Amino acid sequence: QVQSLESGGGSVQSGESLRLTCLAPTYTRNGYCQGWFRQAPGKKREAVAVLKIADNGAAQYADSVKGRFTIFEDNAKNTLYLQMNSLKPEDTAMYYCARSKYTWENCPADLNRYQFWGQGTQVTVSS
């Protein structure tokens, strides 16, 4: 099974920062989307940030992380990042990355549109 590889999670205090890294299994061509998703205990997995791979590709964020998280990529290295600042306890979750199955004009938030899910990296924020 082809998977991405997430890393960079950890345990931090409220207000601190973390940078997550995702190594994609293959090069991502323009038009595809890559995203970060998270799942907290007892909750459904949700989209956190998605990025269209293109020149000046647009990023979209969940309302809960806007202004605090930044998604960016180094496609030459097949790597996707999530810079997380001003972390809050409610950001505690397992974080996953994935790539869209098809190209999109606007990146979808629907998890079913994505593939190459990794095992995730745990982020724990204490108050």
Side-chain angles (χ1 to χ4, degrees):
Q1 185 176 358
V2 180
Q3 292 184 324
S4 300
L5 181 62
E6 303 96 339
S7 63
S11 296
V12 296
Q13 297 288 320
S14 182
E16 293 185 340
S17 300
L18 282 173
R19 177 176 292 185
L20 305 184
T21 300
C22 169
L23 182 61
T26 62
Y27 177 77
T28 303
R29 291 184 290 156
N30 280 0
Y32 285 81
C33 302
Q34 287 190 291
W36 284 98
F37 305 81
R38 68 185 180 188
Q39 187 167 18
K43 295 188 177 181
K44 293 182 179 180
R45 192 173 299 187
E46 61 176 359
V48 175
V50 292
L51 175 67
K52 184 169 181 178
I53 304 304
D55 293 339
N56 300 313
Q60 300 171 58
Y61 298 92
D63 288 343
S64 59
V65 306
K66 281 181 181 177
R68 300 188 297 121
F69 290 12
T70 303
I71 185 172
F72 60 102
E73 53 87 17
D74 183 343
N75 211 18
K77 298 181 179 179
N78 296 346
T79 304
L80 182 73
Y81 302 93
L82 185 68
Q83 178 66 41
M84 305 187 296
N85 298 330
S86 303
L87 282 161
K88 303 176 180 180
E90 50 264 44
D91 294 318
T92 295
M94 185 72 79
Y95 284 71
Y96 302 88
C97 66
R99 180 194 303 170
S100 62
K101 297 177 182 178
Y102 307 104
T103 60
W104 292 89
E105 185 65 26
N106 298 297
C107 291
D110 183 353
L111 276 61
N112 292 319
R113 307 294 186 183
Y114 291 83
Q115 60 180 348
F116 302 155
W117 296 92
Q119 297 298 311
T121 186
Q122 177 68 38
V123 172
T124 302
V125 185
S126 56
S127 57

